[in-house]
Amino acid sequence: MSQKVAVLGTGKIGEALLSGVIRAGWAPSDLLVTARRPERAEELRARHGVTPVTNVEAAKSADTLILTVKPQDMGTLLDELAPHVPADRLVISGAAGIPTSFFEERLAAGTPVVRVMTNTPALVDEAMSVISPGTHATADHLAHAEEIFGAVGKTLRVPESQQDACTALSGSGPAYFFYLVEAMTDAGILLGLPRDKAHELIVQSAIGAAVMLRDSGEHPVRLRENVTSPAGTTINAIRELENHGVRAALIAALEAARDRSRELASGNN
């Protein structure tokens, strides 16, 4: 790694990204971090060997800036950075809902911007990161973003017009599965199982199902049908899911998440 990369506003996802690229072989000396609290910055230095700097120092010295602050704080950060970011810096945004045009309008003309939506499984190197180029981002810029985020999981390029939908599906997606596991655990307790055993049964079932979806190449309908015997237990459970409108509720939930992503882009916090 010959270029310096700075992660600005290093929270949980930013730290997961740092640890991932270090495991992938990048030198900590090439990684800069900024944090709102000095004690947080020192914690990152002690844990990963990276160099804490100010936002302005990062803008001046890093070749790639990864902005991981909350969407509502992004305008303030860009106001601070704009006078110090040369047009040849690659700026990667990890903020939900904010289009690349928001950055291009506030930074030097021609600044390459890449928009990335990742998710919390970055903490275990199983992230799904969706990558979109701005007006001035080249294939090399996209490849560099893929190299960085590929250290903590899988990457996928999409047109920026699809980013809000991807935020709804994968950005927020882990929470839906956690919610489902929570509900199934409660059901297991209702059926007479201890919580720890219900949890273990459900989590391993979820892992197995996910691996089958990823590796089998089969459509989820076919995989479901393979478990669904005539007049059996599974079809009775699925009938109840359909009777309670679970499929429709999921669609409505994803639409709500997409709409909120659009609201964030419009500045409605």
Side-chain angles (χ1 to χ4, degrees):
M1 180 66 187
S2 59
Q3 292 190 331
K4 286 194 178 295
V5 172
V7 180
L8 282 70
T10 311
K12 288 184 178 180
I13 292 293
E15 184 175 6
L17 192 60
L18 285 173
S19 62
V21 297
I22 290 170
R23 286 192 299 275
W26 296 19
S29 58
D30 287 325
L31 301 172
L32 310 177
V33 296
T34 78
R36 181 172 295 179
R37 296 178 291 108
E39 57 270 28
R40 170 62 173 164
E42 288 305 314
E43 180 182 278
L44 293 167
R45 184 206 298 271
R47 186 175 296 160
H48 303 290
V50 296
T51 304
V53 293
T54 66
N55 291 330
V56 171
E57 288 170 339
K60 290 180 177 179
S61 57
D63 301 286
T64 300
L65 304 174
I66 305 175
L67 312 185
T68 62
V69 301
K70 295 178 180 178
Q72 56 267 35
D73 297 329
M74 193 62 77
T76 300
L77 177 61
L78 288 176
D79 288 343
E80 181 182 4
L81 295 179
H84 309 286
V85 179
D88 61 351
R89 293 288 190 268
L90 171 59
V91 175
I92 299 176
S93 165
I98 301 183
T100 55
S101 59
F102 181 90
F103 300 87
E104 292 167 349
E105 291 166 359
R106 289 161 174 79
L107 298 173
T111 300
V113 179
V114 172
R115 180 176 171 182
V116 179
M117 172 49 58
T118 192
N119 58 16
T120 55
L123 296 167
V124 293
D125 292 347
E126 291 291 350
M128 182 69 252
S129 300
V130 184
I131 298 176
S132 302
T135 305
H136 310 293
T138 66
D140 286 343
H141 294 131
L142 286 174
H144 187 46
E146 288 173 332
E147 181 185 10
I148 294 170
F149 285 86
V152 292
K154 187 175 181 179
T155 64
L156 179 69
R157 295 187 192 185
V158 301
E160 189 170 12
S161 60
Q162 296 176 0
Q163 275 279 355
D164 291 324
C166 292
T167 296
L169 263 71
S170 67
S172 300
Y176 315 146
F177 291 102
F178 299 147
Y179 181 86
L180 180 61
V181 168
E182 178 188 1
M184 291 178 69
T185 301
D186 288 343
I189 295 169
L190 180 65
L191 296 173
L193 291 170
R195 178 175 292 276
D196 59 340
K197 288 185 171 59
H199 179 79
E200 184 174 358
L201 286 166
I202 294 161
V203 170
Q204 184 56 40
S205 296
I207 292 170
V211 172
M212 289 179 70
L213 281 166
R214 184 189 65 191
D215 296 346
S216 70
E218 295 281 0
H219 192 281
V221 170
R222 175 62 62 85
L223 293 173
R224 177 180 60 76
E225 288 175 343
N226 290 342
V227 188
T228 310
S229 303
T233 59
T234 305
I235 192 62
N236 274 273
I238 290 173
R239 180 187 63 186
E240 288 302 315
L241 291 173
E242 294 292 350
N243 287 343
H244 286 80
V246 172
R247 187 187 302 266
L250 283 171
I251 293 171
L254 292 171
E255 288 178 333
R258 178 208 58 197
D259 294 346
R260 180 54 180 156
S261 183
R262 291 175 176 173
E263 288 176 358
L264 291 170
S266 68
N268 184 359
N269 297 328

